[in-house]
Each structure stands twice: as C-alpha cells, then as structure tokens.
Amino acid sequence: MKRVVKHRLFWPIAALVALVAVNTISRPAFLSVTVQDGQFYGSVIDILRNSAPLMLVALGMTIVISTRGIDLSVGALMAVSGAVSLTIIEASPDPENLGVVLVAIGAGVLTTLFLGAWNGFLVAVLGIQPIIATLVLMLAGRGIALLVTGGFITTINSTPYQFMAQGSVFGLPFAFYVSIAAVAIVALVERRTALGVLTEAVGINPEASRLAGVRSRGIVWGAYAASGVLAGFAGILYSSNIMAADANAAGLYIELDAILAVVLGGTSLAGGKFSLAGTVIGVFTIQTLKSTITFLGVPPAVSPVFMAAVVIVVVLVQSRRVREGFARIGKALSRTPSQTRPDAEVAS
Amino acid sequence: MTSTPIRTEQASGAFAARLRVFVNRRASWIPVFAALAILIAMFVGAQLYFGNFLTPRLVSSLLLDNAYLLILAVGMTFVILTGGIDLSVGSVLAFTGIMCARLLSEGVPTGVVIPIMILSGAGIGLLIAVLVQFFDVQPFIASLAGMFLARGLAFVVSLSSIKVEDPAILWLQSTRFQVGGWYITPTGIIALLVVLAAALVLQFTRFGRTIYAIGGNEQSARLMGLPVVRTKILAYVISGTCAGLAGVVFAAYTGSGYPLNGVGTELDTIAAVVIGGTLLTGGSGYVLGSMIGVFVYGTIKGVISFLGAEQSWTRITIGVLLLIFVVVQRFIITRSRRR
C-alpha cells in the first residue's frame, strides 16, 4: 500500500479517478457509451476527441519543461498552422482532393517546425530566457496568422480535412488515434533511446551535463522544434474541428492548460525528470474538469474560477511545506519512529 | 617582463578607464537610454513621414490612452525586479473594472468603491505572494492561478458589459487641464504620480534597495539579513494594488466595465517593461524605463493606426522590438559577466 501511495503517478491518477467518480455520481450516464451507426458516442468519447489538441501541445511542453524551459508560443503556433493550411486549401481549385489537404497540412506543420526551431535558436544558441524567447512568438505569432488569413476568419469545405477532427475509425474518433500516435512516437523516441535521459540530464544540471559530454545545445533546440511540430498538428486538429482558421481564438490559453497538464502530471517546472504518462493523465484530468464544469451548468466564462481552485490545490499538494505538514500528521498518528524523512525524496 | 606593458597601458588608458568605469557604473541605464533613443527615433521618423504626427494633441493622448498600462507596468516592474513575474494583472484589471461598474450601478458611493477595488487587487496580489513565498510555487504558476481566479470572478460579477455613469469616475477621464494644445487628464496625473512614487521608493528607500538586492541574488540578500520574505510579498501586493488602480482607471477610460477587458494585457505589460530595459532575471531596471517602454508601445500603436494598417502589425512590431531588446540585453549581460 505504501509503495502504491509513494508512486509518483499516485496523486495525478487519484485526482482523475476522483473527478470521474464525482461525474459518475452526479450523472450516471457519464461513463455509458452508446453505439450508433458503428460509432461510439458518450461523454468519455467526447473527452477523448476534444483532448487531442491539448494532448499534442502538452507532450511538446513536457519535453521543453524537462530542459528547464517553457514554451508560451504554442497557442500562437496553432493559429499559424491552421491559418497556413486553410489558406492553401481555400486557394486550391479542388479542396476535396486528399493530395491538396496533405500538402496543406505539411505546409502548416513545416511552418511551425520552422517557428519552433526559431524559439530553440533563441534559447539554445543565444541563451535567452525561455519565457521571453517564446513570448516573442506568442505576441507576434497571432499577428502573423492574421496576416496569412488577411485579417479574416478563413472558412473552407473539405471532407478530408474535416475528417481529422470529426471523422472516426473503428468507432473511435480519428483525433484520438492522432493523440495516441503522438504519445507513442514521443514515448518511443524519448524512452527507448537515450534521448529522454539526456534531456533530463540537461534539465537537472545543464553545466554538469555539458561537462559530461552531453550536447545540450542540440537537445534543447530539438525540444523546441518538437514542441513547434506538435503545436502545428494541434492547430490543424483545432481548425479541422471548426473548419475555420480563427487567428484570435485558435489555441487561446492552451499554453496555460498545457503547462497545467504537465504540472498536474507530476513534472516539475524546475526541469529535469519528466513523466509522459503523468502528462497524459494531466490532459485527461483537465479535459474531464472542463466537461464537468460544462455539465454542472456553470457558464463557461466562469470556469476559470474552477481552474484557479484546481491549480491552487494541486500546487499546494505538491509543495514541500504542505507535504511536510501531512508527513508530520501521519507520523503523529502512526507513532512509528522512523529515521528516514519521507518528504525528503518526495519533494525532489 | 610583464610590468612595462601594463604600466604603459595604465598611463595611456586613463581616459578610457574612466569611461569604462562610467559605463560599468551606469551599465544598467544603457537599456533605458536605448529605449529612449528608439522612442525619439520613432517620433522623428513618424513626424518626417506623416508631417503631422507630433502634434500636442497626439502626444497628450499618448499618456491618456496608456495611463492604465503605465500603472500596470509600474507594478510589474517591482515583481520583475525581484526575479518574479505576474501574469494576473490583465485579469485583475478586468475584475476590478467590472466590480467597480457593478457596485456603482447599485448605488454604492464612489468614495467606498475605489478603495474596495484597490484593496481587492492587493488581495489577489497577496494570494499570489503567499503561494510564491510560503509554498514555493513558481511565480509563473502562482500568478497563473491568480489570473484564472480574477478572470472567473470578473465573469461571476457580470457576463456582459456594465456602463459607468458615476460622475466622479467619469470626471477622471473627461476633465482636461489644458495648456495650449497640450492637455492632461486626472487619469494621466494618477499614472504619473504612481511612476514618481515608485521611482522614489525604489531609489531611496530601504524597501526599494532590498528589491534590487533580492533580484541580484536572493541567497546573498537573505544572508545579509535583509527582510526577503516581507519584501517579496510586498512586491506582489504592490503589483496587485497597481492592477486594482489600473482597473478603476480603465473603467474611467472606457466608461464601462467588461469582463473580457485586458485579455493579453499582461503580455503587453511585460513587453513594455522589458523594452524599458528591466532584466527579466531581476535586479536591474528602472520604473522610468518601464514608462518609456509603455510610450514606445503606445507610439507603435499610434503609428500603425496612422498608417491605417491592420492592428495585427502592432503585435508583430512589439514582438520584434522585444526580440531586439532581449538580444541586446543578453549581450550586455555576457559582457559584464566576462569582466
């Protein structure tokens, strides 16, 4: 039991389970999934579908945070990739053509790859603080997207493009497969090669890892580029969902949700060790929370109050002082004298 | 063997050394001068290009239109100087603005409403400070919570915009003290007073010097016996207070409260502060620099509306300027570290 509680994913999973439990009690239909025309429907399926953009962005954010960085520009990059792809599709004579759609998606993602690499250049080569380096594109990115769309909200009709966010394969939303694929690829690259360990090394102590021969510059650069690519795909999913490129609304505040998901998943903002599984759980927690807020009849505009409450509770639970307090209470209750300080390793 | 070259260097380089000492001592002012140079260059360029840009009316409106941003930037400067950041200011501005409008429409006297607004801003600042200081939460995340909280509360107060009809609040905006073509509104005077007070506090009080000490090196400041905890908390409270005041000023400026006011204003504020030469790592920067940063921001906006270009260019230009300044600052830091 003690080992279960000590596991680093215990609290994130507990929070998600608690949320699901609250939902199931307040509306028994929450967990039920109905089949219609060979397609699954239900709140859970909606959560899987709607969480896809956040999942992609949060994965990239996890890697960037692990290198002691932060990427504020992801929301703006989403707007850019959506704007680029939709403008290409709109300009093409045949928007229904799969080839056109693929070229458009490729162009959108390449653009954000370039922008992500630019962020990486500022951070890794010029040594600018990540918050500020990415703030530049966060400010300018939406302006670029507005220029691409000419200041309008570009709308298109294209079945293949629409399929990405709204279509389904084997009864499950296609967007869900996209997020699974992204998780699998990132997990394979980071955890089945040494890259993940090297990334953590750079995050824990950049100087020491440099002296140990880790090429930290390339790793940090790559992290921002990867975050850019993932944000690009997220922007395409988002624009495919509404079939419009809205430079102002696309991915608004998603950087904050993504950072929150990463923190909820137990990855420290101070960099170093990261948990992809934790991020996945964090994303589902946030998406479930949003669905709960909508279900409870709270106007969506007021939902930030709930988000604030969750953020505060989570950061308090993670903070050393509160954990020490809990540990002290636990010790007083069990009255078992132990020499090891349990909080010392939890706090790391 | 090496003594002769050194001696000649000393003799010949007396003037250069004095210059170097001057530059070293004033190194932290260089970004401020750079911002001022850019502001003047923009003024001159716009005047040459348009011919009628530098009119008293337009320059006066620069202060009028950006009074709220100026107040926010002053508060933000305190927080950034300690090495922190405050993302909540835009939301707090919206919250206090809409709360102000709501209370006034329900007949609460102005003399009660304004202090309540300022205090509620300070309260949110205090919440962030407690999270940062006592629970070791990163300023970014703590102020993010404050941002969500204030934005949500703004929507709790009202979902739609509320008109401000209180004569005292509107007086702040509509009164114009004129000298020739120049004018200044009470909101502008408030903003300038805030800048003045903050500059004096930072320069000449123990509290102000402690802020710089913490930003320079928190560990050293603590070992020196400076009241680090109290000072850091006060910095966030000041930022919250400024945001509350800015909310009132903004309500006067727009003549209404609206819960979606100030979305993204925190970024504009941070950008203005950074353009004004304050280092985001803390410990170096001036309120006067932030003021220049705000004016640079306002001038860019003015030029773009003069050009009749899309407002999306404002953000792009600010982004580019921010980039230039950050890179320049980066070189200044690496140079001073090498010494």
Side-chain angles (χ1 to χ4, degrees):
Chain A
M1 180 64 199
K2 207 165 188 181
R3 263 178 58 202
V4 174
V5 175
K6 278 273 185 69
H7 193 272
R8 59 196 291 200
L9 287 183
F10 174 76
W11 286 108
I13 292 177
L16 181 58
V17 169
L19 253 181
V20 171
V22 167
N23 270 291
T24 320
I25 292 167
S26 58
R27 51 171 165 164
F30 177 73
L31 283 179
S32 74
V33 174
T34 55
V35 184
Q36 221 171 34
D37 306 331
Q39 230 169 301
F40 292 104
Y41 286 96
S43 312
V44 179
I45 305 293
D46 284 344
I47 290 174
L48 292 184
R49 184 207 316 276
N50 296 337
S51 63
L54 181 58
M55 182 72 80
L56 298 180
V57 169
L59 282 173
M61 190 69 81
T62 311
I63 308 300
V64 169
I65 285 181
S66 170
T67 65
R68 275 199 185 177
I70 203 151
D71 190 349
L72 297 183
S73 69
V74 284
L77 294 195
M78 276 177 69
V80 172
S81 78
V84 168
S85 328
L86 260 67
T87 308
I88 290 177
I89 292 178
E90 194 200 23
S92 81
D94 182 16
E96 298 291 332
N97 189 339
L98 184 63
V100 171
V101 171
L102 287 180
V103 167
I105 294 174
V109 173
L110 263 182
T111 315
T112 55
L113 167 66
F114 172 74
L115 294 176
W118 165 254
N119 280 334
F121 171 75
L122 291 184
V123 174
V125 179
L126 295 188
I128 294 168
Q129 256 190 316
I131 286 191
I132 284 307
T134 54
L135 181 64
V136 171
L137 265 185
M138 184 185 187
L139 285 171
R142 284 187 196 282
I144 296 172
L146 275 171
L147 285 185
V148 170
T149 62
F152 299 104
I153 295 178
T154 311
T155 54
I156 55 157
N157 286 308
S158 165
T159 323
Y161 199 78
Q162 191 167 19
F163 179 78
M164 281 185 306
Q166 300 175 27
S168 49
V169 179
F170 302 125
L172 287 171
F174 182 71
F176 178 55
Y177 292 105
V178 174
S179 62
I180 289 183
V183 173
I185 292 171
V186 173
L188 274 179
V189 171
E190 293 284 335
R191 291 307 187 199
R192 285 286 164 265
T193 68
L195 186 61
V197 177
L198 295 180
T199 309
E200 289 179 344
V202 170
I204 291 167
N205 192 334
E207 188 59 22
S209 61
R210 192 185 64 79
L211 292 175
V214 179
R215 290 166 67 181
S216 61
R217 180 173 287 185
I219 285 173
V220 172
W221 202 334
Y224 285 91
S227 174
V229 168
L230 286 164
F233 276 114
I236 284 168
L237 282 181
Y238 180 90
S239 61
S240 148
N241 198 25
I242 57 170
M243 289 310 277
D246 185 346
N248 284 314
L252 189 63
Y253 288 141
I254 202 169
E255 56 279 346
L256 304 180
D257 282 347
I259 293 167
L260 193 55
V262 173
V263 175
L264 278 174
T267 302
S268 162
L269 272 176
K273 290 194 183 267
F274 64 91
S275 163
L276 290 174
T279 300
V280 172
I281 292 166
V283 168
F284 284 138
T285 308
I286 289 178
Q287 204 63 45
T288 313
L289 185 71
K290 286 191 166 167
S291 141
T292 315
I293 291 168
T294 321
F295 168 73
L296 290 175
V298 179
V302 184
S303 63
V305 176
F306 286 80
M307 293 296 277
V310 172
V311 177
I312 291 174
V313 168
V314 167
V315 294
L316 285 187
V317 168
Q318 287 192 351
S319 86
R320 178 189 294 239
R321 192 175 281 246
V322 172
R323 286 195 173 178
E324 277 174 3
F326 276 140
R328 221 171 290 137
I329 295 168
K331 250 182 221 164
L333 285 179
S334 59
R335 293 202 169 280
T336 45
S338 70
Q339 295 299 313
T340 54
R341 284 164 50 93
D343 46 313
E345 60 180 27
V346 175
S348 64
Chain B
M1 183 177 97
T2 52
S3 64
T4 336
I6 285 177
R7 203 170 292 147
T8 45
E9 200 176 49
Q10 274 173 345
S12 70
F15 175 73
R18 200 171 296 167
L19 188 72
R20 214 176 298 134
V21 166
F22 178 81
V23 170
N24 274 350
R25 289 211 180 133
R26 301 277 180 274
S28 55
W29 275 103
I30 290 175
V32 178
F33 287 132
L36 191 61
I38 283 200
L39 181 64
I40 292 170
M42 275 184 354
F43 273 157
V44 172
Q47 174 66 20
L48 290 179
Y49 188 81
F50 298 116
N52 59 344
F53 190 80
L54 273 185
T55 54
R57 199 179 58 80
L58 206 131
V59 176
S60 306
S61 72
L62 200 60
L63 179 61
L64 165 72
D65 292 337
N66 296 297
Y68 73 98
L69 194 62
L70 190 49
I71 298 174
L72 290 179
V74 168
M76 185 70 81
T77 310
F78 275 84
V79 173
I80 290 183
L81 278 179
T82 66
I85 202 149
D86 187 354
L87 297 180
S88 72
V89 291
S91 306
V92 173
L93 170 133
F95 168 56
T96 54
I98 189 93
M99 191 78 181
C100 176
R102 171 87 182 266
L103 287 179
L104 287 173
S105 72
E106 284 174 1
V108 182
T110 322
V112 179
V113 169
I114 291 180
I116 290 180
M117 295 308 83
I118 294 174
L119 282 180
S120 56
I124 293 175
L126 183 65
L127 172 79
I128 297 170
V130 167
L131 284 177
V132 169
Q133 193 56 47
F134 293 114
F135 295 102
D136 280 337
V137 181
Q138 292 214 349
F140 188 85
I141 293 294
S143 60
L144 185 63
M147 169 181 168
F148 280 140
L149 182 69
R151 183 65 67 192
L153 287 177
F155 279 109
V156 170
V157 172
S158 165
L159 287 174
S160 55
S161 125
I162 302 177
K163 219 168 145 52
V164 176
E165 277 154 2
D166 182 76
I169 297 280
L170 292 180
W171 175 85
L172 287 177
Q173 179 66 20
S174 53
T175 320
R176 293 184 180 192
F177 305 110
Q178 289 206 335
V179 180
W182 303 82
Y183 67 85
I184 190 165
T185 57
T187 50
I189 296 175
I190 293 175
L192 289 182
L193 282 180
V194 169
V195 171
L196 183 69
L200 292 178
V201 164
L202 277 178
Q203 216 57 39
F204 296 114
T205 64
R206 249 180 229 194
F207 166 71
R209 303 321 295 172
T210 310
I211 293 245
Y212 281 102
I214 292 174
N217 190 332
E218 192 173 332
Q219 195 64 29
S220 311
R222 191 169 286 138
L223 292 175
M224 278 163 70
L226 294 173
V228 170
V229 175
R230 197 179 70 202
T231 311
K232 267 177 90 179
I233 287 179
L234 259 179
Y236 286 94
V237 171
I238 287 175
S239 177
T241 312
C242 284
L245 181 62
V248 176
V249 168
F250 198 72
Y253 176 59
T254 56
S256 65
Y258 183 54
L260 269 176
N261 274 343
V263 171
T265 304
E266 59 278 349
L267 301 177
D268 296 339
T269 314
I270 295 171
V273 171
V274 171
I275 289 174
T278 302
L279 290 188
L280 268 153
T281 40
S284 172
Y286 299 92
V287 172
L288 287 179
S290 300
M291 184 170 83
I292 295 169
V294 168
F295 287 148
V296 167
Y297 175 88
T299 312
I300 290 174
K301 246 179 160 173
V303 167
I304 281 163
S305 68
F306 246 67
L307 281 171
E310 286 171 43
Q311 276 303 321
S312 52
W313 279 106
T314 313
R315 280 288 169 91
I316 297 182
T317 323
I318 291 285
V320 171
L321 259 190
L322 191 64
L323 178 70
I324 294 171
F325 268 83
V326 170
V327 174
V328 168
Q329 287 188 4
R330 181 69 209 161
F331 283 121
I332 292 174
I333 294 175
T334 27
R335 261 189 51 199
S336 62
R337 282 228 180 101
R338 266 188 212 137
R339 286 227 175 85

